[in-house]
Amino acid sequence: MQRKVIQQLPPNLVNRIAAGEVIERPASVVKELLENAIDAGATHIIIEIQDGGKELIRISDNGCGIPPEELPLAFAQHATSKLACDEDLFRISTMGFRGEALASIGAVSHASITSRIEGNDEAWVVENRGGTITAPQATAGNVGTTVEVRNLFFNVPARRKFLKGSATEMGHISDMVLRTALPYPHISLELYSSGRSVLKLPAASFHERLLQAWPDEFRGQMLPLEVSDAEIQIHGIIGLPDLARPTAKYQYTYLNGRFIRDRFLQHAIREAYRGLTEPGRHPAAILLITMPPQDVDVNVHPTKIEVRFRDSGRLHGLVLAEIREKLLANDLAPPATFKTPRPAENAAADPFETTAREKLAEFFSQHFPGEESAGTPASPVQSAIGFFQAPHVIAFPEANKPTYPDPTTIGQNQGQGSYAGKAPAIQLHNCYLVVESGEGLEIIDQHALHERILFEELKARITRGPLESQRLLIPEPIKVSPKQIALLDQIQPVLQRLGIEVQQFGPDTIAVQAFPSFLHRIAPSNFVQELLEKGENEQLDLHDEELLHEVLDMMACKATVKAGDALTPGEIEALISRRDLVERSSNCPHGRPTTLKLSLRDLEKQFKRTGF
Ligand SMILES: Nc1ncnc2c1ncn2[C@@H]1O[C@H](COP(=O)(O)OP(=O)(O)OP(=O)(O)O)[C@@H](O)[C@H]1O
Ligand SMILES: [Mg+2]
């Protein structure tokens, strides 16, 4: 092989390589520019975005500004005002210190800095076109700095291609702005996308600012945390155990004003909630840790998201002990919440009063058309879903009062079914049904089986047109992220088929206007919120049919009897007799088995009756 000579790389190429580490997507540019504005002492910052940041990112601040003679240096590599001497590297108290962000951004975009310092009459501007820096020019402008970044990655096609759609990039940007701004309540921030307001964070009190990261309903369920030992201070808020979620979405940890991800800290938080939340859930917590800069190394990761503590054990112990103590000293029961009943609902429709009996009543009224008596009102299930539409009129003998098949008649009205002549099925632990079968016995998971049956019924029903829905008297508002709004746009057609009507109200609010009638016991806003959260965390398949099935499955799951619901013998029999009419009844829609079989032969083996 022919050897090539070693040569110093030209600065442009060095910067482009460095940019690869720090600037991954538009949100990384926003983070760097925002941090610079915070370091510059700004109290008001405006961020304007076009096309998810691919077209334009512009950040204007009212900070200290940059004098004209230093402007070209701001774009230069390894040029910073934040480190004056060697020792400063070990006591960093600013967000930036590498002197690299603007050089990196300039190398992969068309960027400009316009800045004016206090005492100067005019602002000055320098431009950087993919690494070529112009001389400063006088221009008009307020005290402070505006950085404009256009055509990001115009000269790195591989990166540009890798960027997602504008809505997704915008979602990353607004998450980034929120998380960067949380520890700075005195700074007011405004974020716009193509002129539309996306996020407004007015200057606020400390707790008020932190609460901007959580949904409104978390407000009454948080505990403030204030801890300090000789060197470490922790301020923040923690959520009651009930607010723990499947993802760490509502967990934010900061060190000296910088958002960090640290597995020791995450572990300490999780441990503090041990036994109070379901395993695998992430508690809601926002912790701002302050410690002497020399006790931590922030220079271990190009984006500074990881840090190294000199004494991580001590921090772990402090966080664990203080959160645990706070939790144990407080009443952890979540406050009761009451949803306004929707029209045409009876008293039993309160979601907190739902019993297995009522759910089964609905189930029966679908499946036992023979039980009806003409002239009485149809159950909400019938009228909504129309499983057994006319000629039947399914009804309760007394208005709103469900009846159940008489246990003594079990086997009569289903005499032709496979259970005729068998011992009656029984329920164990309000959870499992044990049934005598031809070959032996079967153990059924009542929730899994009911879920599969409802899911199949719904799937069959949806082929005949949209589910019938009921308008809400008072639309239920939900606070949403820009990512969730983009997602909502995408899934609207499927929601319409399912009878869910949702409209956008303002930049960060949507409202549920109508909801499937048969789900009248479920709070519509909770359902839609859960759906959007799943989508946001990429837990939904967004292809139309798959999405439809996933949402139908969610509906089936929520409308189903649960483990722990006591059933009458008649209800049990009804559930089992439906099993044969449904395809794939052996598994619930999630793939869990609904039924375990134990043959007589298995039993004989186990009891060693046959000498095996
Ligand atoms: N918005 C701003 N207001 C005032 N000065 C700024 C602003 N943005 C950048 N500067 C000046 O430009 C310098 C270079 O900024 P740059 O972001 O490249 O590096 P840094 O912030 O020092 O370090 P890092 O690379 O870690 O961010 C800063 O040190 C600062 O003096
Ligand atoms: Mg910087």
Side-chain angles (χ1 to χ4, degrees):
M1 193 193 86
Q2 172 102 50
R3 189 183 167 275
K4 293 183 182 159
V5 293
I6 299 176
Q7 47 185 338
Q8 197 89 43
L9 291 176
N12 272 0
L13 194 50
V14 171
N15 287 342
R16 226 189 286 177
I17 293 169
E21 284 189 332
V22 188
I23 310 299
E24 189 196 343
R25 58 183 352 137
S28 346
V29 174
V30 171
K31 169 183 177 281
E32 293 299 335
L33 300 183
L34 198 51
E35 289 188 348
N36 281 348
I38 294 170
D39 281 345
T43 55
H44 190 182
I45 302 172
I46 297 174
I47 306 162
E48 295 158 278
I49 306 293
Q50 265 167 31
D51 195 11
K54 292 180 259 184
E55 178 72 36
L56 171 73
I57 296 167
R58 186 192 291 128
I59 300 197
S60 312
D61 68 56
N62 64 348
C64 63
I66 306 170
E69 63 279 11
E70 288 180 28
L71 267 180
L73 267 183
F75 269 138
Q77 196 194 347
H78 310 308
T80 179
S81 59
K82 299 170 193 175
L83 293 184
C85 58
D86 284 9
E87 288 72 42
D88 282 356
L89 188 56
F90 306 104
R91 49 177 184 231
I92 286 162
S93 58
T94 46
M95 307 276 259
F97 61 87
R98 294 162 49 106
E100 221 174 38
L102 286 175
S104 298
I105 293 167
V108 293
S109 69
H110 295 146
S112 72
I113 310 173
T114 308
S115 197
R116 180 176 148 195
I117 55 166
E118 192 74 59
N120 267 9
D121 294 340
E122 48 197 358
W124 291 77
V125 58
V126 283
E127 288 184 12
N128 187 342
R129 307 217 140 238
T132 316
I133 304 163
T134 62
Q137 304 268 317
T139 182
N142 296 329
V143 171
T145 304
T146 297
V147 180
E148 232 181 61
V149 177
R150 291 183 185 272
N151 306 325
L152 184 62
F153 300 136
F154 78 97
N155 51 359
V156 195
R159 260 297 142 98
R160 191 156 174 108
K161 241 199 319 223
F162 151 91
L163 296 180
K164 297 271 168 31
S166 300
T168 307
E169 294 299 339
M170 196 58 216
H172 287 298
I173 290 174
S174 77
D175 287 351
M176 184 64 88
V177 170
L178 180 75
R179 86 179 195 196
T180 308
L182 281 189
Y184 302 95
H186 66 285
I187 303 181
S188 76
L189 273 112
E190 295 168 49
L191 171 64
Y192 297 90
S193 168
S194 303
R196 229 170 19 92
S197 167
V198 173
L199 181 70
K200 260 202 165 83
L201 295 171
S205 68
F206 175 65
H207 283 158
E208 219 17 76
R209 170 60 62 89
L210 297 192
L211 282 167
Q212 297 289 324
W214 286 355
D216 282 348
E217 60 270 24
F218 282 23
R219 277 176 180 266
Q221 303 180 60
M222 65 98 178
L223 304 169
L225 197 74
E226 297 289 330
V227 181
S228 60
D229 75 358
E231 267 110 30
I232 305 176
Q233 284 96 46
I234 307 173
H235 306 275
I237 52 178
I238 58 170
L240 295 187
D242 212 41
L243 303 185
R245 291 290 180 269
T247 68
K249 185 170 179 221
Y250 299 121
Q251 213 174 82
Y252 295 78
T253 44
Y254 294 87
L255 178 80
N256 294 343
R258 179 181 285 124
F259 179 86
I260 57 161
R261 229 174 255 133
D262 183 80
R263 59 195 177 87
F264 282 108
L265 268 177
Q266 283 169 349
H267 183 264
I269 296 171
R270 225 178 23 243
E271 281 298 296
Y273 282 77
R274 183 194 274 276
L276 302 171
T277 60
E278 284 171 45
R281 294 215 148 212
H282 300 262
I286 305 180
L287 303 185
L288 275 71
I289 299 160
T290 321
M291 62 167 67
Q294 58 273 21
D295 286 354
V296 58
D297 186 359
V298 291
N299 189 23
V300 292
H301 192 273
T303 67
K304 308 168 186 121
I305 194 159
E306 282 169 25
V307 297
R308 205 164 288 143
F309 295 106
R310 223 170 55 183
D311 190 352
S312 54
R314 178 168 159 204
L315 181 64
H316 185 279
L318 190 66
V319 169
L320 170 54
E322 294 293 335
I323 297 184
R324 186 83 190 163
E325 195 184 312
K326 190 89 190 176
L327 289 171
L328 296 182
N330 281 275
D331 177 9
L332 298 180
T337 49
F338 297 97
K339 293 276 172 191
T340 323
R342 287 191 277 139
E345 285 178 15
N346 56 36
D350 183 306
F352 294 96
E353 304 223 320
T354 306
T355 63
R357 199 167 298 277
E358 287 153 1
K359 285 178 203 151
L360 262 290
E362 290 186 357
F363 182 64
F364 283 153
S365 52
Q366 294 156 31
H367 299 308
F368 287 87
E371 300 277 314
E372 75 217 24
S373 64
T376 42
S379 84
V381 181
Q382 254 65 51
S383 48
I385 273 212
F387 280 149
F388 294 95
Q389 277 171 333
H392 297 301
V393 179
I394 320 298
F396 301 131
E398 281 172 52
N400 297 333
K401 183 151 182 282
T403 56
Y404 306 95
D406 179 349
T408 59
T409 64
I410 289 169
Q412 288 173 16
N413 56 348
Q414 300 121 38
Q416 73 285 23
S418 52
Y419 294 90
K422 307 259 161 60
I426 54 163
Q427 186 188 33
L428 298 180
H429 299 287
N430 288 345
C431 185
Y432 299 111
L433 309 177
V434 181
V435 180
E436 183 183 329
S437 69
E439 302 86 354
L441 60 92
E442 294 175 342
I443 305 168
I444 296 170
D445 178 327
Q446 65 188 38
H447 170 71
L449 177 62
H450 192 189
E451 187 178 352
R452 166 57 79 186
I453 293 172
L454 271 188
F455 176 74
E456 292 297 333
E457 299 271 17
L458 282 166
K459 232 171 64 182
R461 166 63 187 82
I462 200 94
T463 58
R464 302 201 299 272
L467 297 189
E468 197 174 315
S469 69
Q470 191 168 24
R471 299 226 129 250
L472 307 192
L473 258 192
I474 307 161
E476 291 191 7
I478 307 171
K479 207 167 168 205
V480 285
S481 66
K483 228 186 200 168
Q484 291 179 333
I485 289 194
L487 179 73
L488 181 67
D489 281 348
Q490 204 176 341
I491 66 174
Q492 277 290 13
V494 169
L495 294 187
Q496 272 155 20
R497 284 179 72 187
L498 292 162
I500 303 177
E501 206 180 305
V502 184
Q503 265 183 15
Q504 192 174 344
F505 270 95
D508 61 355
T509 310
I510 57 171
V512 187
Q513 312 265 24
F515 202 60
S517 321
F518 89 105
L519 285 175
H520 67 106
R521 293 197 168 93
I522 296 168
S525 52
N526 290 356
F527 186 89
V528 173
Q529 203 161 19
E530 190 179 322
L531 184 66
L532 292 177
E533 275 183 25
K534 270 190 169 176
E536 192 178 26
N537 295 323
E538 278 153 26
Q539 291 165 351
L540 282 184
D541 187 337
L542 296 177
H543 297 94
D544 274 6
E545 274 319 286
E546 282 78 354
L547 180 65
L548 186 76
H549 287 175
E550 289 205 47
V551 186
L552 283 180
D553 178 22
M554 270 176 76
M555 290 178 163
C557 182
K558 302 212 177 286
T560 306
V561 288
K562 299 285 182 295
D565 285 345
L567 307 180
T568 68
E571 291 161 351
I572 294 168
E573 242 4 74
L575 191 55
I576 293 167
S577 67
R578 293 303 298 167
R579 184 168 59 157
D580 299 339
L581 303 179
V582 165
E583 280 179 55
R584 290 167 295 180
S585 68
S586 60
N587 289 84
C588 80
H590 309 291
R592 287 197 298 114
T594 62
T595 309
L596 300 179
K597 294 187 173 171
L598 211 52
S599 69
L600 286 173
R601 210 174 148 70
D602 290 334
L603 287 173
E604 282 162 4
K605 257 200 235 172
Q606 292 299 321
F607 287 114
K608 308 201 185 309
R609 289 170 68 108
T610 55
F612 277 100

